[in-house]
Amino acid sequence: MAGRLLLRGMLAGILAACLAFGFARIFGEPQVNMAIAFESALDAASGEPPEPELVSRGVQASFGLLTAAIMYGAAYGGLFSLVFATAYGRIGRFSPRMLAMLLAGAGFLAVVMVPDLKYPANPPAVGQPETIGMRTVAYFEMVVFSLCALTLAVLAGRALVARMGHWNATLCGGAVFVVLVALLQWALPDISEVPENFPAVVLWRFREAALGMQVVLWGSLGLIFGVLADRVMARQPGVHYG
């Protein structure tokens, strides 16, 4: 069962990544091109020679982006299927499609939305090269802590169900998550390295496109995997909670 779900999770992740790639090509790449043009203009104004292009911009925006998206989607799809297999039948009597969408929403919240509130995506020309290590560590700390906060919130909600009922227990679990996230946002360092004259519209639209790409990825992953998992579970007597 776990093996069949794993394969379907990776397939769903790849298909979702292809859809996210299409979104990024349409809405994200124009903003990247404008940010690169801004960076090139700054280099030219300061008299610095352009950096050598190891990989052409055309390859980066097509095959490079698609390859990265597929690898990302396959990895996330595999992990998603393992979490689904662990959660199915243990956190409620949800159908495979409903559980897949709930997990996709939770994954988007913990892995994307919460970290992006603290450390949003930035286009080229934003960020100092000497701080890239610190920025990377801080971002992944936010992802790990967010996942831990979500896990603690779910456990707290489940522990309160018998005493408070499902609705009140869910509210309490949500409150636990919000408080923990607020503490994490406060504890981790702020990073502000946007150049003073960088176009605000380009920055905003790039961040919109980056977030939209994640919405497409996680939403498609939940929908596609839910359909595939439902077919697998339908063949297993005694495990379907439709």
Side-chain angles (χ1 to χ4, degrees):
M1 174 68 70
R4 290 194 290 272
L5 289 175
L6 178 62
L7 291 175
R8 285 159 176 79
M10 295 179 68
L11 175 60
I14 290 172
L15 294 175
C18 291
L19 295 174
F21 165 77
F23 183 94
R25 281 281 293 175
I26 296 172
F27 297 101
E29 285 303 315
Q31 314 310 318
V32 173
N33 290 333
M34 285 189 280
I36 291 175
F38 173 84
E39 188 175 35
S40 299
L42 287 182
D43 291 341
S46 62
E48 296 183 8
E51 295 184 3
E53 196 175 57
L54 300 179
V55 180
S56 69
R57 179 71 191 121
V59 172
Q60 293 177 26
S62 55
F63 295 109
L65 178 61
L66 178 60
T67 301
I70 287 176
M71 293 178 63
Y72 181 90
Y76 268 59
L79 291 173
F80 185 85
S81 67
L82 296 178
V83 173
F84 176 91
T86 302
Y88 188 69
R90 292 183 174 89
I91 63 172
R93 298 180 63 84
F94 298 109
S95 69
R97 297 189 187 195
M98 178 60 71
L99 179 60
M101 288 306 300
L102 288 174
L103 292 178
F108 174 78
L109 176 65
V111 178
V112 179
M113 181 60 73
V114 169
D116 275 11
L117 291 174
K118 182 72 175 180
Y119 304 118
N122 287 322
V126 175
Q128 302 298 324
E130 57 270 18
T131 65
I132 187 171
M134 183 267 289
R135 287 186 281 120
T136 302
V137 170
Y139 179 80
F140 280 104
E141 284 179 345
M142 190 72 240
V143 172
V144 172
F145 292 156
S146 177
L147 287 171
C148 292
L150 181 62
T151 302
L152 291 173
V154 171
L155 293 175
R158 289 191 62 190
L160 294 172
V161 167
R163 183 186 306 174
M164 305 178 64
H166 287 282
W167 176 249
N168 290 330
T170 300
L171 292 178
C172 288
V176 169
F177 180 73
V178 170
V179 170
L180 290 176
V181 166
L183 290 174
L184 294 173
Q185 299 271 358
W186 173 79
L188 289 174
D190 294 323
I191 299 174
S192 179
E193 297 181 345
V194 180
E196 185 175 340
N197 56 343
F198 190 87
V201 173
V202 174
L203 179 63
W204 176 253
R205 289 180 177 171
F206 176 85
R207 289 176 174 175
E208 283 184 325
L211 188 61
M213 179 180 176
Q214 294 290 343
V215 171
V216 172
L217 177 68
W218 284 93
S220 301
L221 177 59
L223 287 170
I224 297 171
F225 180 79
V227 172
L228 297 177
D230 192 49
R231 294 177 180 177
V232 173
M233 296 301 185
R235 303 190 192 107
Q236 303 295 321
V239 298
H240 186 71
Y241 293 98

